[in-house]
Amino acid sequence: MTVTHEDELQEQFDATIARHDRIEPRDWMPEGYRKTLVRQIAQHAHSEIIGMQPEGNWITRAPSLRRKAILLAKVQDEAGHGLYLYSATETLGASRRELTDMLISGKQKYSSIFNYPTLSYADVGTIGWLVDGAAICNQVPLCRTSYGPYGRAMIRICKEESFHQRQGFELLMTMMRGTDEQRAMVQESVDRFWWPALMMFGPPDADSPNTAQSMAWGIKRDTNDELRQKFVDMSVPQAEVLGVTLPDPELRWNDERGHYDFGQPDWEEFAQVVRGAGPCNTQRIAHRKRAHDDGAWVREAATAFAAREI
Ligand code: BYC
């Protein structure tokens, strides 16, 4: 059997993955590995950018200057996360312009969670507590992902996400110490966000077409179901401290497994939201497109300036 140059490169790649070392932009990589990374990192970047909208909805109505400053800073952090992630994707040969076009035309996805509306101010706290909490469970293992630029971007993102989660918890804690109306507002918000937060981890492992290959390549370090379980185990004691009820009658501690048992989200609803038919999909993309079109003059001016400098 003749050993080709391609076989040797594949062997080196496999050995790097087996050693848990990092693949860097100049290293050879299989085309499927590159494509999977572009898909996942772009989807992650789009989620950060679209994720600014539900919380941004409350900036002008935050109840105090302090809350407004906190929310503004958080939404700005999310823009930053999107930019680090677009930069990581650019190292794989996919430009930010191309990726933005794919988002706006619906060819690339973003997280299902951001297609749900923010109906009350308590949603700002619930997003911090549950959505950023889920993001941390999913993203901390990604700091050890096999692709260098992605893993390094994740380290900084995770530090900020953990701060976001605490601010959400602190906001809800403050409301829970307030009036009956405020407590009811928190409970109603948690009732709406609990199931969509569980869906963030993706379909059950048995229905996840990408997990096995992504784990073999070291892109994902845990399966969707493993991370969902971790999130439930982490959230139940926090809900007890807050004094809210999680809306799942099947939720109970299982001594044998050493984990909480829990019910399944409505996977049909998940499929619908991912297909583009969730409560806010059309609104989110239309808003993103409007912002992109409004920014055309900035891109044109920057391009003209760069051309003059050469
Ligand atoms: N929503 O084979 P699977 C944030 C898609 S940002 C929509 O399991 P994979 C935050 C999946 O893409 C949160 N689509 O896929 C921001 C695939 O379709 P395609 C974003 C989903 O990639 C601002 C198909 O379903 N975090 O936290 O192995 C404020 C089959 O799934 C979803 C990330 O992006 C979903 N929830 O695993 C606050 C983290 N789930 O592409 C917070 C990085 C699945 O084949 N990403 N799909 O057509 C990941 O860890 C993985 O991509 C996932 C999915 C676990 C999400």
Side-chain angles (χ1 to χ4, degrees), residues 123-134:
D123 291 354
V124 171
T126 308
I127 289 180
W129 175 42
L130 293 179
V131 175
D132 288 277

